[in-house]
């Protein structure tokens, strides 16, 4: 008899990408639902799962994805997509609940946010927490038994909440902070979240309720920063709370200091104004605590830092495409839709082997930089941060290897053919769509290098942008081609 089939939505994201191997290790069969399944193809577990293409707002596609599924994990949300994100969350939850009922799914599992208890405090909580709670209520009201797990700050290498904590603490030995640093929080280690998520697959059918999950420590955000500093070997931080800093101003400040862009930081920061602690631990009646008990904060921080220092972060908050990021495929016809496709092509024959050139290309970005005019790249990254973009601080998941879907500073890896092709899609704030493509080939005993920058403008502003930066292409893109060739020749 086949083992139960689990559907994981949000598998291209931080938690979904970590949940898949845990379910496989527990003996479940896994199907992953994604708008762009190709982003999952380079994961080490990709050949052990079934990949299906579906948009959460497409009822027919969701129904097909749920066919023959026993347990479905709902790990998607519209966080940071704009002022109407709650409407999107509400609609996709209703579609999923109805499709799960029609497909005969046995169990739904949803990871929501831990918020205040019912009453005025709950009504005054952030729009993000209210939306997460509403999604849980929609799923619980459906015909399929549902387990809603509610967690506060998740501590794990690569999570957005952890990145905010880490960068604020490391970069600001003295900080002026808003009042939310005094709010009480009950953080939880990502390994414990995964433990409870996997355990919920075997819940009895009569269980249809929400569960609070958290670690053993309850403390303020200020105290959590001090604990991080101690674990990371940093001097004690001086924190000066300032009451007049609004959540919006706080999120802009967080967006400038940390790699998490303002559009994502804002709802997370707004959520911190509420006290987020567990009001029960009933989950243990059905899913035993992890061996040795829930992970303490200091140990969770140690594990997260170990993963970062080993450069072995399997998934990050930036694994998922950011809200508002372009989803259009690379146009192959310059005249598509009657539009314009600007192109800057640079070619050369480096005095190095194709393998040496490829190693330089695949190592681009992050701490290695972009091989041309570092000041210009830094300024462009800073300007992107100021307008709420991702900037250059996302870095890269792995210092040596890239895979489809990886974030790479303010680019996203759209295609990788090892040794031959790397195509990046821009996720910076632009009046259009942009790509940067590198190819390496061998012909007649020589290495041929080709570099393309492409830009599809949006409106008059897009055309003006291209011609405004065009005079600098020789320095930026020409310098990039020459520097990559020199780096490859030195590495032979």
């Amino acid at each position: 008899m086949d083992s139960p089939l689990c559907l994981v939505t949000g598998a291209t994201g931080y938690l979904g990408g970590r949940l898949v191997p845990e379910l496989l290790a527990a003996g479940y069969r896994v199907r992953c639902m994604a708008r762009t399944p190709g982003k999952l193809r380079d994961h080490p577990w990709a050949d052990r799962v079934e990949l299906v293409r579906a948009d959460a707002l497409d009822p027919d596609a969701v129904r097909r994805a749920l066919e023959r599924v026993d347990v479905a994990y709902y790990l998607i949300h519209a966080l940071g997509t704009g002022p109407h994100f709650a409407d999107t969350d509400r609609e996709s939850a209703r579609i999923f609940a109805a499709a799960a009922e029609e497909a005969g799914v046995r169990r739904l599992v949803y990871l929501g946010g831990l918020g205040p208890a019912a009453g005025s405090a709950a009504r005054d909580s952030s729009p993000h927490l209210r939306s997460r709670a509403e999604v849980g209520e929609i799923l619980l009201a459906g015909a399929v038994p549902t387990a809603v797990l509610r967690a506060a700050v998740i501590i794990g290498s690569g999570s957005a909440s952890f990145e905010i904590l880490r960068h604020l603490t490391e970069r600001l030995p003295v900080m002026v902070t808003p009042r939310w640093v005094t709010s009480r929080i009950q953080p939880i280690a990502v390994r414990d979240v995964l433990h409870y998520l996997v355990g919920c697959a075997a819940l009895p059918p009569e269980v249809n309720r929400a569960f609070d999950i958290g670690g053993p420590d309850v403390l303020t955000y200020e105290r959590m920063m001090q604990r991080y500093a101690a674990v990371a070997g940093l001097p004690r931080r001086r924190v000066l709370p300032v009451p007049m800093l609004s959540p919006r101003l706080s999120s802009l400040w967080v967006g400038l200091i940390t790699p998490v862009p303002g559009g994502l930081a804002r709802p997370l920061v707004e959520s911190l104004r509420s006290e987020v602690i567990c009001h029960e631990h009933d989950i243990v009646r059905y899913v035993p605590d992890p061996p040795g008990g829930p992970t303490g904060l200091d140990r969770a921080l140690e594990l997260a830092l170990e993963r970062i220092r080993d450069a072995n972060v399997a998934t990050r908050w930036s694994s998922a495409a950011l809200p508002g990021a372009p989803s259009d495929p690379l146009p192959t016809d310059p005249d598509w839709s009657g539009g314009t496709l600007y192109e800057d092509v640079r070619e050369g024959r480096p005095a190095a082997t194709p393998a040496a050139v490829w190693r330089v290309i695949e190592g681009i970005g992050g701490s290695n930089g972009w091989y041309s005019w570092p000041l210009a790249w830094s300024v462009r990254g800073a300007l992107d941060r100021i307008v709420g973009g991702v900037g250059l601080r996302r870095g890269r998941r792995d210092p040596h290897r890239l895979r489809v879907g990886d974030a790479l500073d303010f680019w996203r890896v759209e295609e990788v053919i090892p040794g031959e092709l790397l195509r990046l899609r821009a996720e910076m704030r632009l009046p259009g769509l942009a790509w940067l493509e590198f190819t390496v080939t061998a012909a007649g005993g020589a290495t041929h290098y080709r570099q393309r920058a492409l830009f599809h403008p949006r409106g008059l502003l897009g055309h003006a942008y291209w011609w405004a930066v065009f005079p600098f292409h020789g320095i930026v893109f020409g310098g990039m081609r020459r520097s990559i060739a020199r780096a490859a020749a030195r590495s032979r």
Side-chain angles (χ1 to χ4, degrees), residues 102 104 212 485:
E102 185 175 331
D212 292 352

Side-chain angles (χ1 to χ4, degrees), residues 261-300:
L264 184 57
R266 187 172 302 119
L268 294 176
V269 167
E270 288 178 342
S271 299
L272 292 172
R273 73 189 187 202
S274 302
E275 181 176 85
V276 283
I277 60 175
C278 296
H279 300 282
E280 43 82 10
H281 189 52
D282 295 347
I283 187 67
V284 76
R285 299 179 189 171
Y286 307 98
V287 182
D289 282 335
T295 307
L297 175 61
D298 289 356
R299 180 54 181 159

Side-chain angles (χ1 to χ4, degrees), residues 338-464:
T340 301
L341 182 66
Y342 291 115
E343 185 178 39
D344 182 286
V345 178
R346 309 278 167 165
E347 298 181 278
R349 294 182 177 272
T353 64
V357 176
W358 177 254
R359 282 194 297 271
V360 176
I361 291 172
E362 194 172 24
I364 203 166
S367 61
N368 291 327
W370 291 88
Y371 293 97
S372 69
W373 204 7
L375 177 61
W377 286 92
S378 297
V379 170
R380 185 64 184 88
L383 290 174
D384 196 51
R385 299 291 296 181
I386 290 172
V387 297
V390 297
L392 291 173
R393 291 186 182 146
R394 289 191 301 181
R396 47 184 294 156
R397 176 190 58 85
D398 185 294
H400 307 295
R401 181 174 177 269
L402 293 174
R403 67 188 185 199
V404 172
D406 276 358
L408 181 59
D409 292 332
F410 46 43
W411 303 89
R412 175 81 54 183
V413 179
E414 185 175 80
E415 182 60 274
V416 179
I417 302 176
E420 299 178 21
L421 168 72
L422 172 63
R423 183 185 304 131
L424 308 175
R425 180 204 302 277
E427 287 192 337
M428 66 195 83
R429 295 295 182 93
L430 289 170
L433 306 174
W435 295 263
L436 184 58
E437 184 180 83
F438 306 88
T439 56
V440 184
T441 56
T447 300
H448 184 253
Y449 170 86
R450 188 167 190 256
Q451 171 188 302
R452 288 201 308 163
L454 301 105
F455 183 68
H456 176 64
R458 184 182 298 115
L460 182 61
L461 183 59
H463 291 275

Side-chain angles (χ1 to χ4, degrees), residues 295-325:
T295 307
L297 175 61
D298 289 356
R299 180 54 181 159
L301 293 170
E302 289 171 358
L303 290 169
L305 288 172
E306 286 174 8
R307 292 286 296 276
I308 290 171
R309 290 161 181 164
D310 291 342
N312 187 31
V313 181
T315 62
R316 297 157 41 123
W317 63 269
S318 55
S319 300
L322 292 176

